[in-house]
Amino acid sequence: MATSPDQQRRVEGRIEWRGRQSFRVRVHNGFDPVTRKRRYLYATGRGNQRAAEKVLRELLTRRDNGLDVQPERMTTAQWFARWLEARIADGALSPRVTTNYRGILAQHVGPSIGDVRLQELRTDQVLDFKTTLLEAKLAPATVRKVLGLVKQGLEAAVVAGLLARNPAAAVPLPSPQQGRTERRSLTEDELRAILQAAEGTQYATLVRFAVATGLRQGEMLGLRWQDVDLEARTLQVRQTVQHVKGEGFQALPPKTKNSRRTVELSAALVALLKLHRKAQDVERERLGETWHANDLVFPGPDGRPQWQKALLRGYRDVLDASGITEPETVNWHTLRHTAASLWIKAGVEIFTVSRRLGHSSAAFTMDTYAHLLRGQQKTAAEALDHLLVEVRSGAVRRSP
């Protein structure tokens, strides 16, 4: 007679009653590779037969999902490692995010709370961990990212039945505004100086393009000619190019849903891109078979994706040669920030700026650039003054 799946699972696991309402569940977990003795997972509980069978099913599920470490012995580091690998296997994380998460776990979580047994982790220990991060002079945004990952991983442990509650749930994240300094925005004179210093270098078109479009660095380096319509004067942001340690260059989808967008181009920028394409065609013919045909608008010297570190080193030389004040406070993202600031000062409304930048929401754009709108308070305050004066003078009369 064939054994049903439920009967087979009961054979693999056993309920041992220690009293009327007390039980222990034992599940076979393979053999020790050295002694060849059977290994077991255990769980205890209180309740009736139905409750005991539920615990048995949960323990079998944990075993089948690879959680072969005894739950009460599993450390926080072991859980986070397994949770992260499960998310990677599900395709939930991009290669770049995976690298960042592994770095956070190795540099911060592991050394501080990694050796604590998962089921013994307390809220006060997570609070101490937060204090340690802040005392290490990490930026509040970084602390927020680390604690956010910890909360997410521990919540998954609750869902998996390994924890009754999330010990990090009550730990507040640092405010996103805490320690935040206003980013530097270049003046028109500073921008002219940088453009002049870039003239004649390989960065001349790159800098102009960055200011004109506001694209992120990865979006620029991933832009292909097939994504650019010079006749319609538009470009489509469809991918970014990033270098992932150990895996080389990778084309990845845009950062958010709104990052996949259409950006309109000016006539002057289209003319500049046409000249850039002609120069690139000449270089491609000169290199012949050594040119790597990736269709990139801004590739490296041989057509392959451009190294970001090399780009930033050359850009730093341009900044130093420009003669602007405190060039060390300017980075590549400053060009994107400057573009947005100049658009707003020119009267472009926030929603359009947000869509052009590919922000997740117009509210985020408003929060970032609210300081540029302070002068509009006075305009709003005085907008209806003519009506107030007319009413006071009797110029406006009620209809009979």
Side-chain angles (χ1 to χ4, degrees):
M1 181 176 179
T3 303
S4 70
D6 286 343
Q7 289 174 327
Q8 180 61 36
R9 289 174 73 84
R10 289 193 184 95
V11 169
E12 295 175 355
R14 177 179 176 182
I15 299 173
E16 301 171 350
W17 290 94
R18 296 182 167 182
R20 179 175 293 182
Q21 294 290 320
S22 179
F23 59 83
R24 184 180 77 160
V25 174
R26 186 181 72 173
V27 168
H28 179 236
N29 190 36
F31 297 88
D32 187 283
V34 177
T35 66
R36 302 306 302 165
K37 291 183 179 180
R38 289 178 177 270
R39 295 188 305 187
Y40 296 95
L41 296 178
Y42 296 95
T44 58
R46 295 183 62 82
N48 56 19
Q49 181 70 26
R50 180 177 296 180
E53 290 180 352
K54 180 181 178 182
V55 172
L56 172 60
R57 289 194 299 269
E58 291 174 348
L59 201 59
L60 286 166
T61 299
R62 286 206 294 267
R63 185 204 61 183
D64 294 344
N65 289 336
L67 299 176
D68 55 354
V69 177
Q70 192 67 21
E72 61 268 18
R73 296 179 181 176
M74 182 182 293
T75 66
T76 302
Q78 287 174 326
W79 164 250
F80 273 104
R82 295 182 180 216
W83 168 70
L84 183 60
E85 292 305 317
R87 297 209 64 198
I88 295 170
D90 290 341
L93 305 177
S94 70
R96 192 61 179 267
V97 172
T98 297
T99 300
N100 289 339
Y101 280 7
R102 282 178 172 159
I104 289 174
L105 295 178
Q107 297 172 24
H108 304 298
V109 178
S112 296
I113 58 175
D115 291 336
V116 180
R117 288 189 177 180
L118 180 64
Q119 295 186 350
E120 296 177 358
L121 186 64
R122 305 186 308 273
T123 297
D124 64 299
Q125 291 172 307
V126 181
L127 279 169
D128 290 343
F129 174 49
K130 173 185 175 181
T131 301
T132 300
L133 295 175
L134 293 172
E135 289 178 347
K137 304 300 182 184
L138 294 180
T142 301
V143 177
R144 187 178 179 87
K145 183 184 298 184
V146 173
L147 289 177
L149 180 61
V150 169
K151 285 192 175 189
Q152 188 179 356
L154 294 178
E155 190 60 35
V158 174
V159 174
L162 298 175
L163 291 175
R165 63 179 185 83
N166 187 342
V171 178
L173 300 178
S175 167
Q177 305 299 326
Q178 182 180 340
R180 185 175 177 179
T181 58
E182 190 174 298
R183 294 173 178 171
R184 176 172 179 176
S185 177
L186 299 169
T187 65
E188 291 192 15
D189 288 341
E190 288 176 323
L191 188 54
R192 288 192 188 96
I194 293 174
L195 292 175
Q196 185 174 355
E199 197 63 34
T201 73
Q202 60 179 316
Y203 304 102
T205 303
L206 265 171
V207 173
R208 283 172 166 78
F209 183 88
V211 174
T213 62
L215 263 64
R216 300 177 178 92
Q217 185 188 73
E219 294 171 344
M220 288 181 56
L221 299 185
L223 186 66
R224 299 162 298 184
W225 285 112
Q226 65 179 332
D227 301 325
V228 181
D229 189 335
L230 295 177
E231 296 304 317
R233 288 172 34 180
T234 61
L235 66 83
Q236 303 287 331
V237 179
R238 293 173 174 154
Q239 68 173 23
T240 67
V241 167
Q242 296 177 344
H243 185 269
V244 179
K245 187 176 180 181
E247 300 185 29
F249 287 101
Q250 293 194 357
L252 303 173
K255 187 176 181 181
T256 64
K257 180 183 70 174
N258 286 342
S259 294
R260 186 182 290 271
R261 64 198 185 278
T262 300
V263 177
E264 296 186 15
L265 310 175
S266 68
L269 184 57
V270 167
L272 189 65
L273 286 174
K274 287 180 178 179
L275 292 174
H276 175 67
R277 189 168 195 174
K278 287 182 179 179
Q280 191 180 96
D281 289 341
V282 171
E283 186 66 10
R284 184 177 64 249
E285 291 179 8
R286 186 184 71 83
L287 291 178
E289 294 182 356
T290 61
W291 177 268
H292 295 262
N294 291 306
D295 195 38
L296 296 175
V297 177
F298 300 108
D302 60 357
R304 284 183 288 192
Q306 193 160 179
W307 285 90
Q308 293 181 353
K309 289 184 178 180
L311 169 64
L312 295 179
R313 281 196 298 268
Y315 176 57
R316 180 60 53 195
D317 293 337
V318 170
L319 293 176
D320 291 339
S322 68
I324 65 172
T325 304
E326 298 181 335
E328 68 278 359
T329 64
V330 177
N331 55 31
W332 190 267
H333 191 82
T334 304
L335 298 176
R336 174 175 161 88
H337 188 63
T338 297
S341 299
L342 293 178
W343 294 337
I344 293 173
K345 289 178 180 178
V348 180
E349 47 100 13
I350 285 290
F351 184 81
T352 300
V353 172
S354 180
R355 285 292 177 261
R356 191 169 176 85
L357 292 175
H359 281 167
S360 57
S361 68
F364 176 82
T365 311
M366 178 71 76
D367 181 57
T368 303
Y369 297 100
H371 62 285
L372 298 177
L373 304 174
R374 290 170 187 156
Q376 296 186 20
Q377 281 275 9
K378 182 177 180 181
T379 302
E382 299 174 352
L384 302 181
D385 273 4
H386 65 287
L387 289 177
L388 302 180
V389 173
E390 288 174 1
V391 171
R392 174 59 66 89
S393 63
V396 175
R397 296 183 175 84
R398 294 181 179 178
S399 299

